[in-house]
Amino acid sequence: MTKTILLNNRPKGKPTVSNFEFVSDDTELKVGEGEILLEAAYVSVDPYLRGRMSDAKSYVPPFELNKPVQSGVVAKVVASKNKNFAEGDYVSGLLSWKTQQISTGEGLLKVDGDKAPLSTYLGVLGMTGLTAYLGLNEIGKPKAGETIVVSGAAGAVGSVVGQIAKILGLHVIGIAGTDEKIEMLKSKFGFDAGINYNTSKDINADIKALAPNGVDIYFDNVGGHISDAVLFNINRFARMIICGAISVYNETELPKSVSVQPFLVKNSALMQGFIVSNYAEKFPEAMKHLSGWLAEGKLTYTETIVDGFDNIPNAFIDLFEGKNKGKMIVKI
């Protein structure tokens, strides 16, 4: 039996389980020439999927209603009529939320569970790690001795950004939502300091205290009032990397925010948004560094693993309540 999760209706505000529909099909999947049969092993849930659930114009087409949701998946090849893939191989790629599916193999990458745990190919050795590495280096242009602030620092991308920044010799300040997460940033990921945005009485003042010489790079995963506070502390020629804005993804009205233009003009600062595919030609170089640092023990990771295919929607929704530490993954 194949289970599938469809987008039932478009979320208004924060997603709920009712936005999804579970269907089951007893039809045996038959593998044609050049095809492979895949069985899902791990499914990635990511904040950016919220954007694809709306029908607003974006950098990728929206999910279609009554069609399967897609995200990063690590799957096992259980049958193959494709010379490039053997039974027992594991692959990663953008796949549907299905327990089993047929693929031509196009866009799939073989992954080796002997070199690193399979789940890492959805996280630190997958799009998460690539996003952190390429956003920081291509836009941030980090230099040893500079100060970086990372918001959403205990999340999948933010926790890797901070570690790479430390490897490159930066002073790293992370912003997250609980004292436990702040402690993890410092003890596990080597951040120099952290700010709990839920208990801070003045994030602007806290940043100023922790970065008395100002902020050279800001890696923004959240947007909203946290990012407003960082603007008051940026240095001349600061670089602001806009990776995500999870704090406003579920807003039903346009959020009010400070005007960024005066800060950018006054400091000759750069603010640039990006998606990781902008730098596709640099993926091999990034993977070489990420896998090397992981093997050397310079890079580590945290995963929040939820068990069970039926829990994929709940795991996705939990992202917006900050229930994850590091990468949120569902183990099938």
Side-chain angles (χ1 to χ4, degrees), residues 34 36 82 85 93-95 103-109:
I36 52 178
N82 182 316
F85 300 92
L94 186 66
L95 292 165
S103 170
T104 62
E106 186 178 354
L108 298 181
L109 188 69

Side-chain angles (χ1 to χ4, degrees), residues 51-68:
R52 294 196 67 188
M53 291 173 189
S54 302
D55 55 7
K57 181 178 178 289
S58 186
Y59 55 86
V60 283
F63 292 126
E64 293 181 52
L65 290 177
N66 306 309
K67 295 283 180 71

